[in-house]
Amino acid sequence: MTLAIETRALTKRYGRHTALDGMDLAVETGSVFGMIGPNGAGKTTAMRLLLDIIRPTSGDATVLGRSPISGGAALRREIGFLPGELLLEGRVTGRSLLKHYAEISGPVAPGRIDELAERLGLDLSRHVRKLSKGNKQKLGLVQAFMHEPKLLVLDEPTSGLDPLVQQEFLSMVREAQHNGQTVFLSSHVLSEIQNAADKVAVLRNGVIVKVGDVASLRASAVRRVFVDFADASAASIQSTLAALPNLDHLTVTDGAVVQVTGTVEGHIDALVKAIAPFHVVDLRVEEQDLESSVIDLYSKEANK
Amino acid sequence: MSQSPRTILPLTRRNLADSWRGLLGWTAGVTGAIFLYVPLYSSFSGENAGFDDIIASLPEGLASTLGFEDLSSGAGYVQATYLGLIGFVLFTIAATLWSSAAIAGDEESGSLELTLAHGVSRVQVMVERSLGVILRLVWLATVSALLILALNDSSGIELEPINVIGGCLTLLALGVLAASFGLAVGATTGRRAYASAAAAGISLLGYVLNSLGNQSADVEWLHTLSPYHWAFGNSPLSNGADAGALGLLFGISALALVIGGFVFTRRDVSA
């Protein structure tokens, strides 16, 4: 197993503010690795450190077997980077700008730019500053993918893209993986990572809270449950459910129909069996998105 | 992995390609200033033009502040109107705008981050962007020299061609000095406002020290601190460019760029 990215206690402080606090990360070559977390969690800081745009306060990183600092320009030629805040200006056409970026990155196969632009539905003849946010994002994706780099570092890659283009992006990520490229991407919304990533790290306040594959994170996800009962007393339901270990935030509202809400961590099996003897009018289970559920989990652990 | 065919100076070419419209405007400005001032000399020159009387009628100090003591010779006239005044102002403004935009402006707009994420080193960015600014100043200096030479006979300024080139080279050196300060401070701080202040500041300081030094013998020593005086103190249009002054101006510029580049390679780039 080789690692495309490895960080050891990677830390970045700005004065008293710690943007990234001792991050240990291992991204396998050929994998699609996602990083989720709210804004300000340190995702962008981590990516900038990998690209040597900023320098770590302490700790170190290895990217494609080299240090970002000593690897320099030669290393970055093998990386495709999409910044989180893509600001493209200038009275130049998209094609002209991409030609420029092609000159300062790895070799771009002939026709590759047009192929990517066509897939994403991007008009290369328009001036960059007149492009909408979504079209600028497409241009950013093209410049990241065009030289088929060994490693793609994509900060919030699907922001501003409509759902159809997001699907196209996902297929580009899968193709890249198929070609043996490694993809490291971040998002503050889970849905895009859920479909793309093999493995996910959850980042919060500069710390990795959890790393796992999507399925195992999903298994430990927190679900909101709503159950309505008839012909039962609130007290008996309360006493039955309060005994369940993985049920939290329990509320019981008395009435003709007793309404119960709560959150279940992990499987709902125990809950279903516990309510079976009662007359259940309605049962709804809603999955929270992975990010908030994992963060719920984390803050609960932190409070213990 | 095969090495990609590298092209020559990609960042400088991008820089020039992005700015040719602006450069066209600056070229028009320089051309306009020279066509406005230089031909006027013929109507002032001659025994009875009364030019010296006009100078004598100016309030004391004003003429020396503006460098108008020697308007009756062709060299003195072009020095006082274009090289030492309008041209100097145009070069200073151009150097300020271009040098502050080259790195600091790009960093503030967020585009520098994406450039640095590609296969370029910080040193390469510093060198190529600086070169882009300096080449544009060279262009303006070349245009200045060619236009003054073109008007040399018809306007009656009758300068030695080699001195016209020397004079414009000296003006270029002042422009490059301002640009280097702007580039160096921009590369060090990443702040466009600081870069602009440094570029405009070094030009203004030189000009003010020179003007103060002109006022009396007591403060004439201020000339030794003034890049403007180093450049123009020996009247390059009549005596030729001062090689020592050029060496000093270009040397300080190079030093500023090296220091700026040194800090630039060691700091965080913000978006």
Side-chain angles (χ1 to χ4, degrees):
Chain A
M1 181 190 93
T2 57
L3 296 177
I5 299 171
E6 190 178 14
T7 70
R8 289 164 294 267
L10 194 62
T11 300
K12 182 65 187 176
R13 290 194 191 90
Y14 294 100
R16 294 179 59 195
H17 171 66
T18 303
L20 199 64
D21 194 358
M23 183 171 84
D24 293 304
L25 195 68
V27 178
E28 284 174 43
T29 301
S31 69
V32 178
F33 195 103
M35 190 163 56
I36 59 166
N39 293 327
K43 307 186 296 284
T44 299
T45 301
M47 290 186 163
R48 284 187 179 148
L49 286 166
L50 299 178
L51 269 300
D52 192 36
I53 290 160
I54 55 176
R55 307 281 159 76
T57 309
S58 64
D60 64 292
T62 308
V63 177
L64 300 174
R66 281 165 280 176
S67 141
I69 298 170
S70 63
L75 171 59
R76 286 193 298 275
R77 224 164 267 151
E78 296 178 15
I79 305 174
F81 176 57
L82 176 73
E85 271 179 55
L86 187 62
L87 293 143
L88 297 170
E89 293 177 340
R91 210 197 291 248
V92 293
T93 60
R95 184 180 302 283
S96 161
L97 190 69
L98 288 171
K99 196 164 156 267
H100 167 63
Y101 285 127
E103 284 182 345
I104 57 173
S105 60
V108 178
R112 173 79 175 153
I113 289 176
D114 289 282
E115 178 209 321
L116 287 171
E118 200 172 315
R119 282 184 76 169
L120 293 169
L122 171 66
D123 180 359
L124 291 175
S125 63
R126 294 184 61 198
H127 278 173
V128 167
R129 59 174 183 168
K130 288 183 185 153
L131 293 178
S132 66
K133 184 178 180 331
N135 278 321
K136 283 184 184 176
Q137 189 76 0
K138 292 177 192 172
L139 198 64
L141 285 171
V142 174
Q143 65 80 33
F145 278 83
M146 63 184 176
H147 55 299
E148 298 179 16
K150 286 183 185 167
L151 173 65
L152 283 151
V153 178
L154 310 171
D155 196 358
E156 306 269 352
T158 57
S159 82
L161 299 181
D162 62 53
L164 274 177
V165 181
Q166 288 198 19
Q167 286 305 314
E168 195 56 47
F169 164 75
L170 289 178
S171 83
M172 281 163 62
V173 167
R174 277 185 217 109
E175 273 171 40
Q177 189 180 23
H178 189 71
N179 293 338
Q181 296 167 269
T182 308
V183 183
F184 181 55
L185 46 81
S186 77
S187 180
H188 65 280
V189 288
L190 188 84
S191 53
E192 72 181 32
I193 296 227
Q194 248 167 202
N195 298 322
D198 308 325
K199 225 172 176 187
V200 173
V202 183
L203 203 62
R204 191 179 153 88
N205 294 332
V207 178
I208 291 185
V209 181
K210 201 173 178 72
V211 184
D213 55 54
V214 173
S216 73
L217 285 179
R218 189 186 282 280
S220 68
V222 176
R223 295 169 175 79
R224 292 179 61 78
V225 292
F226 305 86
V227 197
D228 294 348
F229 297 94
D231 310 327
S233 77
S236 66
I237 292 169
Q238 172 92 42
S239 63
T240 307
L241 297 183
L244 293 175
N246 64 346
L247 181 67
D248 291 300
H249 307 108
L250 183 67
T251 65
V252 179
T253 313
D254 204 358
V257 172
V258 179
Q259 295 179 314
V260 173
T261 67
T263 61
V264 177
E265 185 190 321
H267 299 175
I268 62 162
D269 182 67
L271 173 71
V272 171
K273 285 176 178 150
I275 62 175
F278 296 95
H279 184 122
V280 179
V281 177
D282 190 13
L283 167 64
R284 279 168 294 141
V285 181
E286 288 178 5
E287 189 180 359
Q288 286 181 286
D289 67 43
L290 194 49
E291 177 201 333
S292 53
S293 63
V294 172
I295 285 167
D296 278 352
L297 195 67
Y298 165 71
S299 46
K300 221 166 53 181
E301 276 166 10
N303 292 337
K304 270 179 191 170
Chain B
M1 166 164 184
S2 68
Q3 188 62 35
S4 62
R6 306 248 56 86
T7 47
I8 301 160
L9 299 175
L11 300 173
T12 303
R13 285 190 290 109
R14 175 85 255 155
N15 188 235
L16 295 177
D18 282 340
S19 60
W20 68 268
R21 284 182 189 80
L23 187 58
L24 219 56
W26 283 100
T27 307
V30 163
T31 305
I34 290 174
F35 270 103
L36 187 65
Y37 281 97
V38 175
L40 276 180
Y41 177 70
S42 60
S43 57
F44 283 128
S45 62
E47 293 285 314
N48 301 316
F51 215 53
D52 292 334
D53 296 340
I54 297 172
I55 303 303
S57 70
L58 289 174
E60 199 173 347
L62 183 59
S64 64
T65 299
L66 293 170
F68 280 2
E69 301 95 327
D70 179 29
L71 279 179
S72 53
S73 77
Y77 176 80
V78 176
Q79 173 66 45
T81 54
Y82 182 70
L83 219 54
L85 196 63
I86 303 298
F88 176 69
V89 169
L90 288 175
F91 271 61
T92 297
I93 297 172
T96 302
L97 292 174
W98 294 342
S99 68
S100 62
I103 289 175
D106 208 33
E107 182 168 348
E108 284 189 358
S109 81
S111 344
L112 185 63
E113 180 185 7
L114 187 55
T115 299
L116 288 176
H118 283 83
V120 291
S121 67
R122 302 262 178 112
V123 172
Q124 187 186 351
V125 170
M126 183 75 188
V127 168
E128 288 205 31
R129 293 262 166 94
S130 300
L131 189 63
V133 174
I134 291 168
L135 281 178
R136 280 182 275 168
L137 290 171
V138 168
W139 166 255
L140 290 187
T142 306
V143 168
S144 301
L146 290 176
L147 289 176
I148 293 170
L149 285 172
L151 295 170
N152 202 12
D153 290 336
S154 62
S155 65
I157 52 175
E158 290 171 346
L159 303 176
E160 289 292 331
I162 188 71
N163 292 347
V164 172
I165 294 167
C168 290
L169 188 61
T170 309
L171 177 60
L172 171 67
L174 284 174
V176 168
L177 181 75
S180 309
F181 273 61
L183 285 160
V185 171
T188 303
T189 62
R191 302 283 292 275
R192 189 174 188 150
Y194 296 161
S196 302
I202 187 69
S203 280
L204 187 65
L205 183 74
Y207 188 82
V208 168
L209 287 174
N210 179 69
S211 300
L212 289 176
N214 285 347
Q215 298 306 313
S216 79
D218 292 339
V219 289
E220 207 180 331
W221 60 270
L222 288 172
H223 281 160
T224 59
L225 301 177
S226 163
Y228 183 93
H229 187 82
W230 306 339
F232 294 138
N234 81 329
S235 308
L237 287 176
S238 40
N239 303 320
D242 184 334
L246 288 181
L248 190 60
L249 290 169
F250 284 126
I252 292 174
S253 302
L255 186 67
L257 290 176
V258 168
I259 294 171
F262 182 83
V263 178
F264 186 47
T265 55
R266 275 155 188 79
R267 73 172 174 90
D268 289 350
V269 168
S270 56

